[in-house]
């Protein structure tokens, strides 16, 4: 993995814009994992928590060498555990790269509350756009 | 619920997503290239699944799997179909015309 200077805000790497943009400040990236705070303090219904995990996975895939650009799409979501109906407060989204197969990047991602409480977790497969897989 | 139910039996539910709601759900996703977010498609499947199971408004406990084959645009006629799998699980799909664009299996909390 090449060293790279990362921007502070996820918005500069994603093409999501408010209100669809869930991710805010990028807190950590170590090559195969990242952590990112939510954009604001919600409140977040569970679909927004799921969307945040998808954005975290997309961001992590895009930061890989040879990763997709910001036109990547979500191909699959599986093994989702929804532990809360919703949440008020800043959410920490984390993603870990599990594997890459051709033009697909599979990540395990989670949403946690400020005290580290697990709110939602999911396995998200990010795909390069059709024609670039 | 954003969906408008079209049919509801013991085993199956069908609903449509009004275009005005589809456009709202695409705001920011993405400017100039709008389509419904994958998480939103899961939410729509969960909404209808909960209705089918008599648990309207309840969040699913788990999404076992959901796949997304093609983008769903806000100007397309979006239908959601849910089929009961026992007391707490449903299979659901997002259809545009005869084409299945997304589908998944969702599980609600047991014991109800």
């Amino acid at each position: 993995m090449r060293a790279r200077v990362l921007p502070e805000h996820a918005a500069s790497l994603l093409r999501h814009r408010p209100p669809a943009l869930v991710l805010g400040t990028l807190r950590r990236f170590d090559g195969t994992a990242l952590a990112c705070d939510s954009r604001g303090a919600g409140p977040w219904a569970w679909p927004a928590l799921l969307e945040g995990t998808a954005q975290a996975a997309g961001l992590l895939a895009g930061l890989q060498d040879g990763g997709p650009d910001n036109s990547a799409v979500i191909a699959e979501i599986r093994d989702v555990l929804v532990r809360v109906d919703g949440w008020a407060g800043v959410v920490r989204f984390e993603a870990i790269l599990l594997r890459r197969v051709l033009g697909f990047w599979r990540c395990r991602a989670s949403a946690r509350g400020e005290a580290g409480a697990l709110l939602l977790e999911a396995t998200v497969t990010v795909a390069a756009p059709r024609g670039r897989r | 619920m954003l969906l408008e139910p079209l049919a509801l039996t013991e085993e199956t539910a069908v609903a449509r997503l009004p275009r005005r709601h589809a456009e709202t759900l695409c705001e920011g996703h993405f400017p100039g290239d709008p389509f419904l977010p994958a998480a939103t498609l899961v939410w729509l499947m969960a909404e209808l699944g909960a209705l089918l199971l008599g648990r309207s408004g309840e969040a699913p406990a788990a999404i076992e799997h959901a796949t997304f084959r093609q983008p769903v645009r806000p100007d397309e006629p979006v239908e959601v179909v849910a089929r009961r799998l026992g007391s707490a699980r449903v299979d659901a799909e997002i259809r545009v015309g005869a084409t299945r664009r997304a589908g998944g299996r969702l599980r609600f909390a047991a014991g109800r």
Side-chain angles (χ1 to χ4, degrees):
Chain A
M1 170 78 47
R2 294 188 307 268
R4 67 176 79 190
V5 177
L6 292 176
E8 182 182 355
H9 296 289
S12 60
L13 296 168
L14 296 170
R15 63 173 174 154
H16 302 71
R17 291 295 173 263
L21 180 65
V22 176
L23 300 190
T25 306
L26 184 58
R27 295 293 184 191
R28 187 181 76 248
F29 171 66
D30 67 6
T32 57
L34 65 71
C36 200
D37 284 345
S38 59
R39 184 182 64 84
W44 312 98
W46 71 267
L49 299 174
L50 181 60
E51 175 63 22
T53 62
Q55 291 180 18
L59 186 56
L60 179 59
L63 289 170
Q64 303 303 301
D65 283 342
D69 64 20
N70 67 2
S71 62
V73 296
I74 303 301
E76 182 188 63
I77 296 174
R78 65 184 308 116
D79 302 330
V80 181
L81 296 177
V82 181
R83 298 179 184 271
V84 296
D85 290 350
W87 184 260
V90 173
V91 176
R92 171 67 57 91
F93 293 99
E94 298 176 331
I96 299 171
L97 181 67
L98 299 178
R99 63 187 299 207
R100 175 189 178 178
V101 177
L102 300 174
F104 297 86
W105 289 258
R106 177 170 285 183
C107 305
R108 188 67 180 168
S110 63
R112 293 181 182 273
E114 285 153 294
L118 187 57
L119 309 176
L120 183 146
E121 54 187 326
T123 298
V124 180
T125 300
V126 179
R130 288 181 186 275
R132 282 186 255 170
R133 294 177 188 166
Chain B
M1 190 167 79
L2 298 182
L3 295 170
E4 291 183 357
L6 299 174
L8 179 62
T9 70
E10 188 72 17
E11 300 298 323
T12 306
V14 182
R16 65 180 282 269
L17 178 65
R19 180 172 172 169
R20 66 183 187 283
H21 293 323
E23 290 172 346
T24 300
L25 293 170
C26 289
E27 288 178 1
H29 191 277
F30 301 97
D33 183 24
F35 60 91
L36 288 158
T40 299
L41 297 177
V42 171
W43 175 45
L44 295 173
M45 291 190 278
E47 288 272 289
L48 191 63
L51 176 70
L52 176 62
L53 297 175
R55 306 163 77 142
S56 288
E58 186 177 327
I63 295 110
E64 296 182 13
H65 55 81
T67 55
F68 310 94
R69 296 181 178 181
Q70 284 181 268
V72 178
R73 305 285 179 183
D75 59 351
E76 295 183 304
V78 180
E79 281 193 1
V80 187
V81 180
R83 297 180 186 83
R84 178 191 290 268
L85 295 174
S87 62
R89 293 164 86 211
V90 294
D91 272 346
E93 60 184 32
I94 304 288
R95 302 188 68 86
V96 174
T99 307
R100 175 186 166 112
R101 298 288 180 87
R105 179 167 292 177
L106 301 93
R107 177 168 53 80
F108 292 78
R112 285 195 50 189

